[in-house]
Amino acid sequence: MAAQTFHHTRSNSFPLPSRLSPLVSQIDEHLNRLKASNATSTSSAISHKLNGLQDLYDSVDKLLQLPFSQLALVQEQHKEWVNELLDGSLRLLDLCSTAKDVVLQTKENAHEIQSVLRRRRSGELELVGEVKRYFISRKVLQKTIHKALRNLNGLETNRVFSSSDDHETTAMVSLLREVEQVTSSTLEYLLSMISGPKEQSKPGSWLVSKLLHHKRTACEQAGRDINEFEKVDASLRLLVNQKMSRSENIINIEMQNQLKDLELCTQDFEDGLECLFRCMIKARVFLLNTLNP
Protein backbone atom coordinates (compact mmCIF):
# COMPACT_ATOMS: atom_id res chain seq x y z
CA MET A 1 0.00 0.00 0.00
CA ALA A 2 1.56 3.24 -1.12
CA ALA A 3 1.98 6.02 1.35
CA GLN A 4 -0.45 8.89 1.02
CA THR A 5 0.67 12.07 -0.68
CA PHE A 6 1.49 14.79 1.78
CA HIS A 7 -0.52 17.99 1.36
CA HIS A 8 0.38 21.44 2.59
CA THR A 9 -2.79 22.65 4.30
CA ARG A 10 -1.88 25.84 6.10
CA SER A 11 -3.16 29.06 4.59
CA ASN A 12 -1.03 32.19 4.39
CA SER A 13 -4.14 34.14 5.40
CA PHE A 14 -3.71 32.72 8.92
CA PRO A 15 -0.51 34.36 10.22
CA LEU A 16 0.84 33.27 13.55
CA PRO A 17 1.86 35.99 16.04
CA SER A 18 5.33 37.40 15.53
CA ARG A 19 6.43 36.14 18.95
CA LEU A 20 6.08 32.59 17.65
CA SER A 21 8.01 33.24 14.43
CA PRO A 22 11.32 31.58 15.46
CA LEU A 23 9.59 28.35 16.50
CA VAL A 24 7.28 28.38 13.48
CA SER A 25 10.29 28.86 11.22
CA GLN A 26 12.01 25.87 12.84
CA ILE A 27 8.95 23.69 12.39
CA ASP A 28 8.54 24.81 8.78
CA GLU A 29 12.19 23.97 8.07
CA HIS A 30 11.76 20.48 9.53
CA LEU A 31 8.54 19.94 7.58
CA ASN A 32 10.08 21.12 4.32
CA ARG A 33 13.07 18.81 4.72
CA LEU A 34 10.80 15.84 5.44
CA LYS A 35 8.50 16.62 2.52
CA ALA A 36 11.47 17.05 0.17
CA SER A 37 12.59 13.50 0.95
CA ASN A 38 9.15 11.93 0.33
CA ALA A 39 10.16 10.68 -3.12
CA THR A 40 12.97 8.60 -1.60
CA SER A 41 11.93 5.46 0.26
CA THR A 42 15.17 3.57 0.82
CA SER A 43 15.84 2.22 4.30
CA SER A 44 18.51 4.84 4.96
CA ALA A 45 16.16 7.60 3.83
CA ILE A 46 13.41 6.35 6.13
CA SER A 47 15.84 6.15 9.07
CA HIS A 48 16.82 9.73 8.31
CA LYS A 49 13.13 10.72 8.28
CA LEU A 50 12.59 9.12 11.67
CA ASN A 51 15.47 11.17 13.06
CA GLY A 52 14.03 14.26 11.38
CA LEU A 53 10.65 13.63 13.02
CA GLN A 54 12.32 13.62 16.44
CA ASP A 55 13.76 17.07 15.75
CA LEU A 56 10.34 18.20 14.50
CA TYR A 57 8.58 17.05 17.67
CA ASP A 58 11.19 18.78 19.84
CA SER A 59 10.13 22.06 18.23
CA VAL A 60 6.44 21.15 18.53
CA ASP A 61 6.89 20.54 22.27
CA LYS A 62 8.36 24.01 22.68
CA LEU A 63 5.43 25.49 20.75
CA LEU A 64 2.86 23.68 22.90
CA GLN A 65 4.53 24.86 26.11
CA LEU A 66 4.24 28.53 25.24
CA PRO A 67 1.62 30.47 27.25
CA PHE A 68 0.01 31.72 24.01
CA SER A 69 -0.49 28.16 22.75
CA GLN A 70 -1.93 26.91 26.02
CA LEU A 71 -4.30 29.88 26.37
CA ALA A 72 -5.45 29.58 22.76
CA LEU A 73 -6.14 25.86 22.82
CA VAL A 74 -7.90 25.89 26.18
CA GLN A 75 -10.68 28.13 24.80
CA GLU A 76 -14.05 26.38 24.70
CA GLN A 77 -14.58 27.22 21.02
CA HIS A 78 -11.33 25.38 20.21
CA LYS A 79 -12.08 22.26 22.22
CA GLU A 80 -13.22 20.40 19.10
CA TRP A 81 -9.90 21.10 17.41
CA VAL A 82 -7.93 19.84 20.39
CA ASN A 83 -10.04 16.68 20.52
CA GLU A 84 -9.39 16.16 16.83
CA LEU A 85 -5.64 16.52 17.37
CA LEU A 86 -5.81 14.08 20.26
CA ASP A 87 -7.67 11.57 18.12
CA GLY A 88 -5.05 11.91 15.40
CA SER A 89 -2.21 11.49 17.89
CA LEU A 90 -3.79 8.31 19.24
CA ARG A 91 -4.09 6.83 15.75
CA LEU A 92 -0.45 7.66 15.05
CA LEU A 93 0.66 6.12 18.34
CA ASP A 94 -1.19 2.92 17.41
CA LEU A 95 0.48 2.93 13.99
CA CYS A 96 3.91 3.56 15.51
CA SER A 97 3.36 0.76 18.03
CA THR A 98 2.42 -1.62 15.21
CA ALA A 99 5.54 -0.59 13.31
CA LYS A 100 7.70 -1.26 16.38
CA ASP A 101 6.22 -4.74 16.79
CA VAL A 102 6.61 -5.59 13.10
CA VAL A 103 10.21 -4.39 13.01
CA LEU A 104 11.12 -6.35 16.14
CA GLN A 105 9.54 -9.54 14.81
CA THR A 106 11.30 -9.15 11.45
CA LYS A 107 14.64 -8.67 13.18
CA GLU A 108 14.09 -11.79 15.30
CA ASN A 109 13.10 -13.82 12.23
CA ALA A 110 16.25 -12.77 10.38
CA HIS A 111 18.35 -13.62 13.43
CA GLU A 112 16.90 -17.13 13.52
CA ILE A 113 17.81 -17.69 9.87
CA GLN A 114 21.33 -16.44 10.55
CA SER A 115 21.71 -18.85 13.45
CA VAL A 116 20.68 -21.83 11.32
CA LEU A 117 22.99 -20.78 8.48
CA ARG A 118 25.95 -20.65 10.85
CA ARG A 119 25.35 -24.24 11.87
CA ARG A 120 24.32 -25.42 8.42
CA ARG A 121 26.06 -28.75 8.85
CA SER A 122 23.24 -29.69 11.21
CA GLY A 123 21.10 -30.40 8.17
CA GLU A 124 19.52 -28.92 5.05
CA LEU A 125 16.02 -29.79 6.25
CA GLU A 126 16.44 -27.69 9.36
CA LEU A 127 17.36 -24.67 7.27
CA VAL A 128 14.50 -25.15 4.81
CA GLY A 129 12.09 -25.56 7.72
CA GLU A 130 13.30 -22.33 9.31
CA VAL A 131 12.93 -20.51 5.98
CA LYS A 132 9.36 -21.74 5.65
CA ARG A 133 8.62 -20.48 9.17
CA TYR A 134 10.14 -17.16 8.15
CA PHE A 135 7.70 -16.78 5.25
CA ILE A 136 4.73 -17.84 7.39
CA SER A 137 5.68 -15.10 9.85
CA ARG A 138 6.11 -12.65 6.95
CA LYS A 139 2.55 -13.31 5.79
CA VAL A 140 1.20 -12.72 9.29
CA LEU A 141 3.14 -9.45 9.52
CA GLN A 142 1.91 -8.35 6.10
CA LYS A 143 -1.69 -8.86 7.20
CA THR A 144 -1.01 -6.84 10.35
CA ILE A 145 0.49 -4.03 8.28
CA HIS A 146 -2.36 -3.95 5.77
CA LYS A 147 -4.90 -3.82 8.60
CA ALA A 148 -3.04 -0.99 10.32
CA LEU A 149 -2.88 1.03 7.11
CA ARG A 150 -6.56 0.47 6.41
CA ASN A 151 -7.42 1.68 9.91
CA LEU A 152 -5.41 4.81 9.23
CA ASN A 153 -7.82 5.82 6.47
CA GLY A 154 -9.90 7.58 9.12
CA LEU A 155 -7.06 10.04 9.62
CA GLU A 156 -7.79 12.48 6.78
CA THR A 157 -4.94 14.25 5.06
CA ASN A 158 -7.16 17.27 4.49
CA ARG A 159 -9.69 18.54 7.01
CA VAL A 160 -12.21 21.31 6.81
CA PHE A 161 -11.81 23.94 9.48
CA SER A 162 -14.92 24.97 11.38
CA SER A 163 -15.50 28.68 10.98
CA SER A 164 -13.49 30.85 13.33
CA ASP A 165 -12.29 34.43 13.39
CA ASP A 166 -9.30 33.41 15.50
CA HIS A 167 -6.80 33.22 12.67
CA GLU A 168 -3.80 32.84 14.95
CA THR A 169 -5.13 29.69 16.62
CA THR A 170 -6.39 28.38 13.27
CA ALA A 171 -2.88 28.73 11.85
CA MET A 172 -1.32 26.97 14.83
CA VAL A 173 -3.77 24.05 14.65
CA SER A 174 -3.14 23.81 10.91
CA LEU A 175 0.59 23.62 11.61
CA LEU A 176 0.05 20.78 14.08
CA ARG A 177 -2.03 18.96 11.49
CA GLU A 178 0.86 19.19 9.05
CA VAL A 179 3.08 17.56 11.65
CA GLU A 180 0.49 14.81 12.01
CA GLN A 181 0.34 14.28 8.25
CA VAL A 182 4.07 14.05 7.67
CA THR A 183 4.38 11.63 10.59
CA SER A 184 1.65 9.46 9.09
CA SER A 185 3.33 9.54 5.69
CA THR A 186 6.71 8.45 7.10
CA LEU A 187 5.20 5.55 9.04
CA GLU A 188 3.30 4.45 5.94
CA TYR A 189 6.49 4.45 3.89
CA LEU A 190 8.22 2.35 6.52
CA LEU A 191 5.42 -0.19 6.81
CA SER A 192 4.98 -0.40 3.05
CA MET A 193 8.69 -1.17 2.67
CA ILE A 194 8.52 -3.97 5.24
CA SER A 195 5.33 -5.40 3.74
CA GLY A 196 6.79 -5.50 0.24
CA PRO A 197 4.92 -5.52 -3.07
CA LYS A 198 1.36 -6.79 -3.08
CA GLU A 199 2.32 -9.40 -5.64
CA GLN A 200 5.48 -11.24 -4.68
CA SER A 201 7.95 -11.93 -7.46
CA LYS A 202 8.10 -15.54 -8.58
CA PRO A 203 11.35 -17.46 -7.97
CA GLY A 204 12.22 -17.25 -11.68
CA SER A 205 11.57 -13.51 -11.94
CA TRP A 206 14.10 -10.82 -12.81
CA LEU A 207 14.63 -9.97 -9.13
CA VAL A 208 15.69 -13.47 -8.12
CA SER A 209 17.73 -13.85 -11.29
CA LYS A 210 19.69 -10.68 -10.63
CA LEU A 211 20.29 -11.64 -7.00
CA LEU A 212 21.48 -15.09 -8.01
CA HIS A 213 24.01 -13.71 -10.49
CA HIS A 214 24.96 -10.66 -8.38
CA LYS A 215 24.05 -8.16 -11.10
CA ARG A 216 23.23 -5.24 -8.90
CA THR A 217 23.83 -2.72 -11.67
CA ALA A 218 21.13 -4.35 -13.76
CA CYS A 219 18.72 -4.04 -10.83
CA GLU A 220 19.45 -0.34 -10.55
CA GLN A 221 18.79 0.11 -14.25
CA ALA A 222 15.41 -1.59 -13.83
CA GLY A 223 14.08 1.68 -12.36
CA ARG A 224 13.82 0.99 -8.61
CA ASP A 225 16.05 0.12 -5.68
CA ILE A 226 15.83 -3.33 -4.13
CA ASN A 227 15.54 -2.90 -0.39
CA GLU A 228 16.91 -5.20 2.30
CA PHE A 229 13.59 -6.95 2.88
CA GLU A 230 13.13 -7.82 -0.82
CA LYS A 231 16.70 -9.05 -1.16
CA VAL A 232 16.35 -11.47 1.74
CA ASP A 233 12.93 -12.64 0.56
CA ALA A 234 14.24 -13.35 -2.93
CA SER A 235 17.32 -15.25 -1.75
CA LEU A 236 15.35 -17.34 0.73
CA ARG A 237 12.77 -18.19 -1.94
CA LEU A 238 15.60 -19.64 -3.99
CA LEU A 239 16.57 -21.77 -1.04
CA VAL A 240 13.11 -23.01 -0.14
CA ASN A 241 12.52 -23.95 -3.77
CA GLN A 242 15.76 -25.99 -3.69
CA LYS A 243 17.49 -23.91 -6.31
CA MET A 244 20.52 -23.34 -4.11
CA SER A 245 22.78 -26.21 -3.08
CA ARG A 246 25.04 -26.41 -0.07
CA SER A 247 28.10 -26.32 -2.33
CA GLU A 248 27.28 -22.81 -3.48
CA ASN A 249 29.33 -21.13 -0.77
CA ILE A 250 29.33 -17.78 -2.52
CA ILE A 251 25.53 -17.71 -2.38
CA ASN A 252 25.60 -18.68 1.28
CA ILE A 253 28.00 -15.82 2.03
CA GLU A 254 25.82 -13.43 0.04
CA MET A 255 22.76 -14.50 2.00
CA GLN A 256 24.61 -14.01 5.29
CA ASN A 257 25.52 -10.49 4.17
CA GLN A 258 21.94 -9.74 3.17
CA LEU A 259 20.63 -10.97 6.51
CA LYS A 260 23.21 -8.87 8.31
CA ASP A 261 22.15 -5.81 6.31
CA LEU A 262 18.53 -6.53 7.18
CA GLU A 263 19.40 -6.87 10.86
CA LEU A 264 21.20 -3.52 10.84
CA CYS A 265 18.31 -1.92 8.95
CA THR A 266 15.70 -3.17 11.41
CA GLN A 267 17.86 -2.08 14.35
CA ASP A 268 17.97 1.46 12.94
CA PHE A 269 14.20 1.39 12.47
CA GLU A 270 13.68 0.03 15.99
CA ASP A 271 15.79 2.77 17.57
CA GLY A 272 14.15 5.51 15.49
CA LEU A 273 10.62 4.30 16.18
CA GLU A 274 11.23 4.05 19.92
CA CYS A 275 12.47 7.64 20.07
CA LEU A 276 9.61 8.84 17.87
CA PHE A 277 7.07 7.03 20.05
CA ARG A 278 8.36 8.82 23.15
CA CYS A 279 8.23 12.16 21.34
CA MET A 280 4.61 11.61 20.30
CA ILE A 281 3.64 10.55 23.81
CA LYS A 282 5.14 13.76 25.17
CA ALA A 283 3.23 15.91 22.65
CA ARG A 284 -0.01 14.08 23.46
CA VAL A 285 0.48 14.70 27.19
CA PHE A 286 0.84 18.42 26.51
CA LEU A 287 -2.45 18.42 24.58
CA LEU A 288 -4.21 16.42 27.32
CA ASN A 289 -2.96 18.84 29.96
CA THR A 290 -4.25 21.71 27.85
CA LEU A 291 -7.69 20.12 27.58
CA ASN A 292 -7.79 19.17 31.28
CA PRO A 293 -5.81 21.84 33.16
Side-chain angles (χ1 to χ4, degrees):
M1 178 176 179
Q4 297 177 13
T5 303
F6 176 78
H7 298 281
H8 190 84
T9 58
R10 186 151 31 96
S11 170
N12 291 329
S13 64
F14 298 150
L16 282 163
S18 58
R19 56 193 149 169
L20 300 185
S21 293
L23 271 178
V24 172
S25 296
Q26 286 181 20
I27 293 173
D28 271 332
E29 287 177 9
H30 292 313
L31 286 170
N32 289 333
R33 280 197 292 268
L34 288 163
K35 288 184 287 183
S37 63
N38 269 355
T40 307
S41 56
T42 62
S43 59
S44 59
I46 291 177
S47 292
H48 183 71
K49 288 179 186 178
L50 291 174
N51 292 331
L53 283 173
Q54 295 170 39
D55 295 333
L56 173 62
Y57 275 89
D58 284 342
S59 297
V60 168
D61 288 342
K62 294 175 184 177
L63 177 65
L64 291 175
Q65 292 180 69
L66 290 177
F68 168 83
S69 302
Q70 295 178 4
L71 288 173
L73 294 176
V74 78
Q75 301 299 315
E76 182 66 27
Q77 65 267 31
H78 301 146
K79 189 174 181 179
E80 182 180 352
W81 289 351
V82 177
N83 281 327
E84 189 180 70
L85 290 170
L86 284 169
D87 180 64
S89 72
L90 185 59
R91 289 173 181 269
L92 289 178
L93 283 170
D94 287 342
L95 189 65
C96 188
S97 180
T98 296
K100 288 169 57 182
D101 292 341
V102 167
V103 166
L104 177 60
Q105 186 60 57
T106 301
K107 185 177 75 170
E108 291 177 351
N109 292 344
H111 182 73
E112 288 299 321
I113 296 290
Q114 283 182 299
S115 297
V116 176
L117 280 173
R118 293 191 187 103
R119 60 177 190 273
R120 191 162 183 181
R121 290 182 181 179
S122 61
E124 190 88 12
L125 289 177
E126 180 185 359
L127 178 57
V128 172
E130 190 61 48
V131 171
K132 289 182 177 179
R133 283 190 289 273
Y134 171 88
F135 281 115
I136 291 173
S137 178
R138 283 282 284 154
K139 287 182 180 179
V140 172
L141 293 179
Q142 286 169 342
K143 289 180 180 179
T144 299
I145 290 171
H146 295 159
K147 180 180 178 181
L149 294 179
R150 284 195 302 270
N151 290 340
L152 193 64
N153 289 339
L155 185 60
E156 299 87 356
T157 54
N158 286 310
R159 293 181 179 134
V160 179
F161 282 100
S162 54
S163 71
S164 173
D165 294 329
D166 188 349
H167 292 171
E168 293 180 343
T169 304
T170 300
M172 182 173 63
V173 171
S174 182
L175 185 69
L176 294 175
R177 285 171 172 170
E178 287 189 61
V179 173
E180 180 183 280
Q181 291 164 10
V182 78
T183 304
S184 171
S185 176
T186 300
L187 291 173
E188 286 184 79
Y189 274 120
L190 186 153
L191 287 171
S192 296
M193 168 179 283
I194 296 175
S195 176
K198 289 184 178 180
E199 295 182 3
Q200 293 290 340
S201 300
K202 296 180 180 180
S205 69
W206 69 268
L207 173 59
V208 176
S209 176
K210 298 305 180 284
L211 284 169
L212 181 60
H213 295 95
H214 312 288
K215 295 181 180 178
R216 288 194 176 89
T217 54
C219 290
E220 294 171 355
Q221 293 171 359
R224 62 190 281 281
D225 292 325
I226 310 303
N227 64 56
E228 291 85 350
F229 301 89
E230 290 177 300
K231 288 179 182 179
V232 169
D233 281 0
S235 291
L236 292 179
R237 285 182 188 282
L238 284 175
L239 180 65
V240 80
N241 284 278
Q242 299 179 345
K243 294 188 177 182
M244 185 185 301
S245 68
R246 274 193 288 182
S247 61
E248 291 176 311
N249 291 327
I250 187 171
I251 301 298
N252 182 34
I253 293 173
E254 179 70 9
M255 185 182 295
Q256 289 272 22
N257 291 335
Q258 290 169 357
L259 287 164
K260 184 62 177 177
D261 289 342
L262 179 60
E263 187 176 15
L264 293 173
C265 168
T266 52
Q267 184 62 56
D268 286 343
F269 285 172
E270 186 178 5
D271 294 341
L273 287 168
E274 182 58 37
C275 291
L276 175 60
F277 190 81
R278 290 198 297 267
C279 289
M280 291 195 295
I281 285 286
K282 189 175 180 181
R284 179 174 172 80
V285 168
F286 282 136
L287 287 173
L288 285 170
N289 289 339
T290 297
L291 194 62
N292 303 294

